[in-house]
Amino acid sequence: MIAKFYESLYRIRRVEEEVAKVYPTDKIKSPVHLSIGQEAVAVGVCEALRPDDIVFITYRSHAGYIAKGGNLKAMIAELYGKVTGSAKGKGGSMHLVDVANGIMGASAVVGTTIANSIGYAYGVKLKKQNNIVVCFFGDGATDEGVFYESMNFAALKQLPIIFVCENNGYAIHTAQAKRQAVPDIAAKAAIFGMPIERLGDDVLHLYERISTAVETLRSGGTGPFFFECETYRWKEHVGPSEDYNAGYRARTEAEPWMQQDQVQKFAMRLDPQQRQQIEQAVEIEIAEAFEFAENSPFPPDAELYDGVFA
Ligand SMILES: Cc1ncc(C[n+]2csc(CCOP(=O)(O)OP(=O)(O)O)c2C)c(N)n1
Ligand SMILES: [Mg+2]
């Protein structure tokens, strides 16, 4: 289990480091919102899921997409705006999608996927399917009215859904305490009568707690479940750089998170040979994905008229 979790954590970290490296060359055609530092939540949650379970992710999409088993070549090609990308090069980093692997389309519009996810979960329930839905969103999404409407509907209809709020403390540059009269997000879900839990970014603990909720839903129990997971974004809101000089947060705030880096923690639990094997295999995978993106063509002009309503 440790090796499997490490492989996923390492893959996400290294893909995003490569994205950050390539970004200044302008080969990547869309803005990128990196999850470096936040990988643990995506991994702890997605490792508890089956391939046919469904996740809804946000524009900070890479970690969830990779953790759920999204196609890496299609992801990098999408960032490059190539026709072989997951949205044929028309969506970019904020609109990753891989339906075959249970990853519904991400959206740049904060909060929208919360409503999408309960629609999907309602469908799962009506069709009496055995798969479940996980909806990831940020603390900023809980500033939106759609959050409350969706919590109410999910609780009312007892939907087979697990809500995962990745609380990194900021919506762009504004700290939670400056936006929310009551910054206790889990408490806001609790008013709808659903079970809530506050977690950190300890991967194994996350995995255990999410697995328990998953087992309840699989065995015919009712949802929804709500998890608020504290985490921390190391890079700027959007882009490949750090922003500790931007004036809204200090590096000292990030340091404790960096010291308890889950990627490093898992690396240290493996024997060096096993670790090396995992890393080498993942590095090859990543190199192949970037090569695939480089060598893929841009969409033909006619693609502009494809997939539009009018
Ligand atoms: C409906 C809507 N309002 C505002 C924005 C501008 N916006 C983009 S990202 C963001 C912050 C969202 O923060 P959070 O949900 O905590 O996610 P994080 O970026 O921290 O992962 C905002 C307000 C938007 N994209 N959509
Ligand atoms: Mg946030």
Side-chain angles (χ1 to χ4, degrees), residues 20-296:
K21 208 187 289 173
V22 169
Y23 198 74
T25 66
D26 210 31
K27 283 181 177 167
I28 291 175
K29 301 299 179 193
S30 70
V32 290
H33 300 75
L34 301 181
S35 294
I36 291 178
Q38 297 192 192
E39 301 90 345
V41 181
V43 173
V45 172
C46 289
E47 286 293 331
L49 302 178
R50 277 193 328 219
D52 67 327
D53 290 329
I54 302 296
V55 298
F56 284 79
I57 53 178
T58 74
Y59 55 83
R60 195 174 301 288
S61 59
H62 308 161
Y65 179 96
I66 297 169
K68 183 61 174 60
N71 183 311
L72 192 57
K73 286 182 176 161
M75 172 187 151
I76 305 301
E78 188 56 39
L79 268 56
Y80 275 60
K82 299 295 182 75
V83 73
T84 50
S86 68
K88 294 189 185 173
K90 291 192 271 193
S93 160
M94 294 197 283
H95 302 97
L96 294 184
V97 57
D98 186 344
V99 175
N101 286 305
I103 302 154
M104 293 299 131
S107 168
V109 186
V110 173
T112 39
T113 45
I114 306 179
N116 296 344
S117 71
I118 60 162
Y120 198 103
Y122 197 24
V124 165
K125 178 157 185 159
L126 292 176
K127 291 185 207 159
K128 299 187 170 39
Q129 288 170 203
N130 186 241
N131 58 343
I132 60 169
V133 178
V134 170
C135 176
F136 290 97
F137 50 89
D139 52 294
T142 71
D143 297 347
E144 303 276 352
V146 69
F147 166 74
Y148 298 91
E149 298 169 48
S150 301
M151 292 303 116
N152 178 60
F153 190 81
L156 179 71
K157 300 291 182 186
Q158 301 188 319
L159 299 183
I161 188 166
I162 298 173
F163 296 110
V164 177
C165 177
E166 292 180 272
N167 186 354
N168 61 12
Y170 291 93
I172 310 185
H173 297 158
T174 310
Q176 209 192 338
K178 291 188 177 164
R179 314 189 318 261
Q180 301 187 346
V182 178
D184 186 343
I185 291 172
K188 295 173 198 181
I191 61 171
F192 297 103
M194 66 183 84
I196 58 158
E197 211 167 318
R198 298 176 187 86
L199 301 173
D201 74 344
D202 177 322
V203 180
L204 288 176
H205 188 55
L206 270 156
Y207 169 76
E208 276 165 27
R209 299 310 304 144
I210 299 288
S211 295
T212 304
V214 167
E215 277 160 30
T216 303
L217 293 173
R218 290 260 198 256
S219 56
T222 55
F225 289 87
F226 192 97
F227 293 90
E228 178 182 355
C229 307
E230 244 192 286
T231 184
Y232 201 81
R233 159 170 63 76
W234 295 6
K235 300 283 187 184
E236 57 192 333
H237 167 70
V238 54
S241 309
E242 293 193 344
D243 67 350
Y244 300 107
N245 296 324
Y248 75 96
R249 61 176 184 168
R251 200 170 205 285
T252 49
E253 189 182 84
E255 276 156 9
W257 292 94
M258 292 171 172
Q259 278 154 19
Q260 58 169 40
D261 179 17
Q262 291 287 309
V263 184
Q264 278 312 309
K265 273 195 171 169
F266 273 74
M268 271 140 44
R269 292 176 72 168
L270 293 169
D271 80 70
Q273 208 187 340
Q274 192 183 17
R275 177 180 169 181
Q276 200 188 19
Q277 273 171 2
I278 292 170
E279 293 178 359
Q280 275 173 355
V282 172
E283 290 300 334
I284 291 169
E285 222 186 288
I286 296 173
E288 284 175 355
F290 277 82
E291 206 178 299
F292 174 78
E294 292 269 356
N295 296 334
S296 292

